[in-house]
Amino acid sequence: MVQSVLNSLTLGYRPLWSRARRLAGVQLFVHEEPGRNADMPHLLRTLAEMWNNQAPPLLLSPQSRQVLCNLLEHAPQGSPWIEVNGSWLQEDEGIFELVEQAKARGLTLVWSGALNQLPDADAAQGFVSSLLRLPPEGAQGVRNEPDFSDQPSFKAVALSLAAKPLNLLDGQMYEGLQNLELARLCLDSHDAGAVAGWPVADTVRAFRLEQPQPARDSVRRLMQAIDAEQSIDQLEHLLGEDPVLAYRFMLYTNSAALGLRRGVGSLRRGLVMMGLGTLQRWLSDQLPHACTHADLVPLRTQMVVRARLAEELIEAGVSLELQREMYLCCLFSQMDLLLHEPLATLLRRMPLSERIFDAVINNTGPYAEVLQMSAALAGTDAATIRRLREQGQWEAEELNRMLLRVLSDLKLGMPEKLV
């Protein structure tokens, strides 16, 4: 029996955001397990089988030279994009030769490195785009912003070696941005192909004085689904796609306005008890004040993706009711970011399961490890993923397959390419 390559890897991910602040792609971090030599052709075949046609474009980010070399050597045309670490390329002539061969086979390669350390002319020719990292002082934000209107393209700058810190380049991808204004500058003024990750903390600060509201798109989609007489499962799914809308819905179903005798602890029960007519009227009341700020979309979406992961991570064989509870637990575990109140206060306003409260507030109980793992997968810390995997008794293949399944089910927010 051939062992799956997914047993030999630790995978993590990071969303790539488009100018519309919608999902433009997914960056997949690939770590080999210690002492293993993972079969990269097998990984590529596995991805081809699992990644559906509607899934976001995939950028593979090898976390070791060995993984990078194996991918460059064996990946056929049509494989996902492959990130090439600029430091490794500069230090290792063998990698440069593999890049040349990969380019000749038609692979799509992305150079990654610091904005002020762009490659020379020969190296730049092998890449269709770059994933640029700003110096620490630049990632924090831009002051006294210069005029970038005549900034040359990536390759032209590589040829001239004239790039300077914060002289942002048009059409490239950027990572590690910690400032919302800088993310806006990259996407809106420099037509960045994507921003990898999102400056969550700065976004929260930027909107801390605004009244939290559900997204207008979310309210409209749910109203349209009711008009189309879609199933209760689909209505629950759409309601859970917006953290603020889901939270506000739970408050309303447990309020004196409905006068229910028993507390409502789940979205599904709330939908059944409220009825579609009352739900439609309630949504109509939400619509005039609904949020249209695009900069909040990545934050909301990341919360939903984590909740989808948590729903899958819960022990196989549990009831659908407990899976839904796990989803709600993870979705509400970051509500303080959107509602600007302590989590304990927010959760105590609803008759939620004590399992949810224990996991979110006390970091205890059966859901705590699932919450930790869903957060750890959104990053590059392989050691933490491995530690949690051992504690939670997840098999590497099981965990990786679950992650790929959830990511491949994501939908592009807009029909845009990375560049």
Side-chain angles (χ1 to χ4, degrees):
M1 181 177 178
V2 178
Q3 189 178 42
S4 170
V5 66
L6 297 181
N7 272 321
S8 303
L9 298 170
T10 297
L11 302 178
Y13 78 99
R14 180 166 60 176
L16 304 174
W17 302 105
S18 72
R19 185 174 184 178
R21 279 55 163 183
R22 306 286 177 169
L23 197 63
V26 174
Q27 187 177 9
L28 189 68
F29 302 112
V30 183
H31 310 258
E32 275 186 321
E33 289 291 278
R36 298 288 188 93
N37 186 6
D39 185 345
M40 289 299 108
H42 188 186
L43 173 64
L44 293 167
R45 291 194 298 271
T46 301
L47 291 174
E49 293 170 1
M50 297 189 66
W51 215 254
N52 64 63
N53 293 334
Q54 288 74 42
L58 189 60
L59 171 63
L60 298 182
S61 294
Q63 298 301 294
S64 71
R65 297 188 189 210
Q66 178 172 292
V67 171
L68 174 61
C69 290
N70 286 342
L71 283 172
L72 292 174
E73 184 175 0
H74 298 292
Q77 185 176 15
S79 295
W81 292 28
I82 299 174
E83 175 190 347
V84 177
N85 185 304
S87 297
W88 298 346
L89 181 67
Q90 187 176 21
E91 297 166 1
D92 192 332
E93 290 186 3
I95 293 179
F96 181 82
E97 293 176 1
L98 289 173
V99 165
E100 291 293 297
Q101 296 168 14
K103 179 189 173 185
R105 296 200 308 275
L107 265 65
T108 305
L109 306 179
V110 175
W111 182 90
S112 69
L115 176 61
N116 58 353
Q117 295 177 350
L118 294 174
D120 61 26
D122 289 338
Q125 297 301 317
F127 302 96
V128 299
S129 186
S130 58
L131 179 59
L132 300 176
R133 182 179 65 254
L134 302 187
E137 65 275 13
Q140 295 290 342
V142 177
R143 296 180 176 85
N144 300 321
E145 177 185 329
D147 180 12
F148 297 119
S149 59
D150 61 348
Q151 177 64 54
S153 68
F154 167 64
K155 288 185 178 179
V157 171
L159 287 168
S160 66
L161 300 178
K164 298 179 181 179
L166 298 190
N167 282 357
L168 303 179
L169 310 184
D170 292 346
Q172 306 309 305
M173 295 185 284
Y174 288 87
E175 66 173 341
L177 305 180
Q178 300 175 37
N179 179 274
L180 179 58
E181 285 301 325
L182 186 55
R184 289 169 175 169
L185 183 65
C186 290
L187 290 167
D188 300 333
S189 300
H190 292 278
D191 196 25
V195 165
W198 194 253
V200 170
D202 199 50
T203 299
V204 170
R205 284 192 292 269
F207 289 94
R208 69 188 183 281
L209 300 180
E210 296 208 15
Q211 179 67 32
Q213 299 288 351
R216 179 169 294 176
D217 287 349
S218 299
V219 177
R220 283 178 171 167
R221 278 196 297 269
L222 192 51
M223 294 177 72
Q224 290 167 358
I226 295 171
D227 289 338
E229 299 182 345
Q230 294 193 14
S231 68
I232 191 76
D233 288 339
Q234 182 63 14
L235 296 182
E236 181 185 18
H237 177 86
L238 291 173
L239 181 57
E241 289 283 292
D242 188 299
V244 177
L245 186 64
Y247 182 83
R248 189 171 287 185
F249 172 83
M250 291 291 290
L251 289 182
Y252 183 70
T253 55
N254 285 286
S255 69
L258 286 187
L260 301 179
R261 294 183 179 180
R262 293 180 58 191
V264 174
S266 71
L267 297 178
R268 191 177 187 86
R269 176 170 169 76
L271 288 169
V272 171
M273 299 301 295
M274 180 183 284
L276 297 185
T278 303
L279 176 61
Q280 187 77 290
R281 289 191 294 274
W282 178 76
L283 290 170
S284 297
D285 292 339
Q286 308 303 309
L287 194 58
H289 308 289
C291 176
T292 58
H293 293 301
D295 290 329
L296 288 171
V297 172
L299 173 55
R300 297 173 190 258
T301 304
Q302 288 177 188
M303 292 170 65
V304 170
V305 174
R306 280 180 54 173
R308 295 289 175 218
L309 287 170
E311 186 179 34
E312 291 287 326
L313 281 165
I314 196 70
E315 184 178 356
V318 302
S319 68
L320 287 175
E321 183 178 351
L322 285 180
Q323 281 190 304
R324 294 183 182 114
E325 185 174 278
M326 185 69 250
Y327 180 88
L328 209 60
C329 174
C330 191
L331 189 70
F332 288 170
S333 68
Q334 294 181 291
M335 285 303 298
D336 55 325
L337 299 179
L338 292 172
L339 301 185
H340 316 300
E341 293 186 65
L343 273 173
T345 302
L346 294 170
L347 296 183
R348 284 303 190 196
R349 289 180 180 147
M350 299 173 290
L352 297 173
S353 161
E354 283 299 315
R355 290 185 291 267
I356 294 179
F357 193 88
D358 287 343
V360 175
I361 304 303
N362 301 324
N363 196 30
T364 60
Y367 294 165
E369 285 182 346
V370 175
L371 278 185
Q372 294 169 27
M373 180 61 86
S374 67
L377 289 171
T380 61
D381 189 351
T384 296
I385 295 174
R386 289 169 184 146
R387 175 178 57 79
L388 292 172
R389 192 175 66 201
E390 183 177 350
Q391 290 177 1
Q393 297 184 329
W394 286 290
E395 295 292 334
E397 179 181 359
E398 172 194 12
L399 184 64
N400 289 329
R401 196 170 292 279
M402 178 279 305
L403 174 62
L404 293 176
R405 185 167 58 246
V406 170
L407 295 178
S408 67
D409 283 341
L410 299 177
K411 298 294 188 293
L412 284 173
M414 297 286 286
E416 297 177 5
K417 298 180 180 179
L418 291 178
V419 294

